Amino acid sequence: MKQSLQTSIWSYRDIRLVLPARALSYAGDSIAMIALMLRVSDSHGPAGVTALLLAFAVPTVAMIPFAGRIVDGYDSRTVLVWSGLLQVAAGVGLAFVHDLVHTLALVCVLQIGQAVAGPAWGALIPRIVGEELVGRTTGASQALIGVATLAGSAAGGLLVGWTGSRGALLVDASTFLVLVFVAQLVRTRRRPEPGSDVEKGGVTAGLRAIFGDTILRILVPALWLFVVVGEAVNVVEVFLITGELGLGPALYGAAGAATGLGAIAGSAYTGRLRTDRTRSRAVIAGMAAIGGSCVLMGVAGNIVTLMIGATTIGVGSGMLNAATSSLVVTRVAEAVRGRVIAALNGTVRTFSILALLLGGTAGLLLGPRWTFVTCGLACALAAAVAGVLVVRTKDSELEAVSH
């Protein structure tokens, strides 16, 4: 029992502060997204919604050259407090503006803060728990975030109904304020190494570290492909469920909840994996599950088949995200982790934008069912190719280097 307590991530005081606070912030983000989507869609229609989604995505891409250098170049507490305060200010501002231009501008400010805060937290966590517990911590964190996101989605509509969008957005701003307080309370600090030149090589340093690693150069592109496939089918999912299958809004929401629950289970399971070999296999298994499930949903003729597919997509995405995140953090040098995470987040957002365009085009040309089937087959094929490459990788090359 004593050994179990010593190796539990919850035995670390800072983790008991950080993981719940970050999960609470994600719940606030879900509330804010619902409030903003309702506000913009009511006033500006599909074009406004597209602009809003781009406002959430583009700043993360634009910040790739800068975010990582900020994270690696300054004291973690300073970075987290100031990026958090920027998000608090943007969140409060969003509660008091209503026109589209100011809404989009403040969303961009909010996401600039997130582009810095996300890599800063991601690079700090290994300092708190040590390299051996990174996988378990990542799995627990993503599972908590999954639960919080579902709760936030459920609460968002209720809050908008009770208090209007202003009240819901102020709740989101308050969650960022909680993160600022937690950043000040966390004792673990991450500072640049004396004599290190962090000003050189923002995105290039991050991508070089990824593609310089034997296994990451295989699996990170696999994650990018998943983003393209997963978010492309998201564009047409509502038309598949409500149009092709003739199901109502409640069952559309139920499918989304099933995906979320599956992602929680997949993340929790993957957090138990301890070696890079098993995590690599989890990435491949996650991709295969996503591909097969997309095909299954594309040919579904009833709610049971649809829910099985939606749940399995969630499990696969949870495995893929948790395993890739753990591998990225443990297999790159500590001094460049901020730049690596920023580069990963930014490139993922880039492929998210591509997916929005691809999903809309595929939906028009192929229809919802064939979009699901085509994307699923592409994902399954990529999983097979990546799987062969991982199997051929020598065990010595899969051993994470201690940094």
Side-chain angles (χ1 to χ4, degrees), residues 76-339:
S76 58
R77 183 176 294 172
T78 301
V79 172
L80 289 168
V81 168
W82 282 105
S83 61
L85 289 173
L86 182 65
Q87 290 176 291
V88 171
V92 172
L94 282 168
F96 290 93
V97 301
H98 295 283
D99 63 289
L100 184 62
V101 172
H102 286 96
T103 295
L104 296 178
L106 285 169
V107 168
C108 287
V109 173
L110 187 74
Q111 291 304 98
I112 288 171
Q114 179 58 32
V116 175
W121 286 115
L124 181 64
I125 285 174
R127 280 284 183 94
I128 299 174
V129 299
E131 305 288 333
E132 293 298 319
L133 293 179
V134 166
R136 198 180 305 177
T137 307
T138 300
S141 177
Q142 294 201 4
L144 278 174
I145 287 170
V147 173
T149 300
L150 283 176
S153 297
L158 295 175
L159 279 171
V160 172
W162 291 340
T163 66
S165 62
R166 176 174 295 178
L169 291 165
L170 287 174
V171 168
D172 181 42
S174 70
T175 66
F176 291 122
L177 191 59
V178 170
L179 273 181
V180 170
F181 284 126
V182 167
Q184 292 176 315
L185 292 173
V186 167
R187 294 170 182 166
T188 308
R189 306 281 280 273
R190 184 174 181 268
R191 298 181 176 93
E193 297 178 4
S196 63
D197 187 1
V198 298
E199 293 302 316
K200 293 182 179 179
V203 61
T204 55
L207 291 177
R208 276 200 309 270
I210 290 171
F211 285 98
D213 182 84
T214 306
I215 198 67
L216 294 182
R217 70 167 66 116
I218 299 171
L219 298 181
V220 169
L223 176 65
W224 291 337
L225 180 64
F226 155 71
V227 171
V228 172
V229 171
E231 300 203 16
V233 298
N234 284 347
V235 175
V236 299
E237 184 179 19
V238 63
F239 302 106
L240 172 71
I241 295 174
T242 61
E244 298 286 334
L245 293 174
L247 304 174
L251 290 177
Y252 171 61
T259 302
L261 291 171
I264 294 167
S267 299
Y269 166 76
T270 307
R272 298 175 179 271
L273 303 178
R274 297 186 178 183
T275 68
D276 286 358
R277 173 70 72 180
T278 55
R279 289 171 185 156
S280 300
R281 289 174 176 170
V283 173
I284 304 304
M287 281 197 71
I290 293 162
S293 298
C294 283
V295 173
L296 182 63
M297 290 181 69
V299 301
N302 54 65
I303 183 62
V304 174
T305 308
L306 178 76
M307 295 297 284
I308 291 172
T311 304
T312 309
I313 283 179
V315 173
S317 64
M319 294 173 63
L320 175 61
N321 288 328
T324 305
S325 297
S326 298
L327 287 166
V328 165
V329 170
T330 57
R331 293 183 67 88
V332 301
E334 205 281 337
V336 297
R337 278 179 181 158
R339 281 165 282 180

Side-chain angles (χ1 to χ4, degrees), residues 312-373:
T312 309
I313 283 179
V315 173
S317 64
M319 294 173 63
L320 175 61
N321 288 328
T324 305
S325 297
S326 298
L327 287 166
V328 165
V329 170
T330 57
R331 293 183 67 88
V332 301
E334 205 281 337
V336 297
R337 278 179 181 158
R339 281 165 282 180
V340 169
I341 297 171
L344 182 64
N345 290 348
T347 52
V348 164
R349 278 296 195 178
T350 302
F351 283 98
S352 295
I353 296 170
L354 176 62
L356 290 173
L357 301 174
L358 178 64
T361 304
L364 289 173
L365 297 176
L366 302 176
R369 286 192 181 276
W370 278 106
T371 298
F372 265 84
V373 171

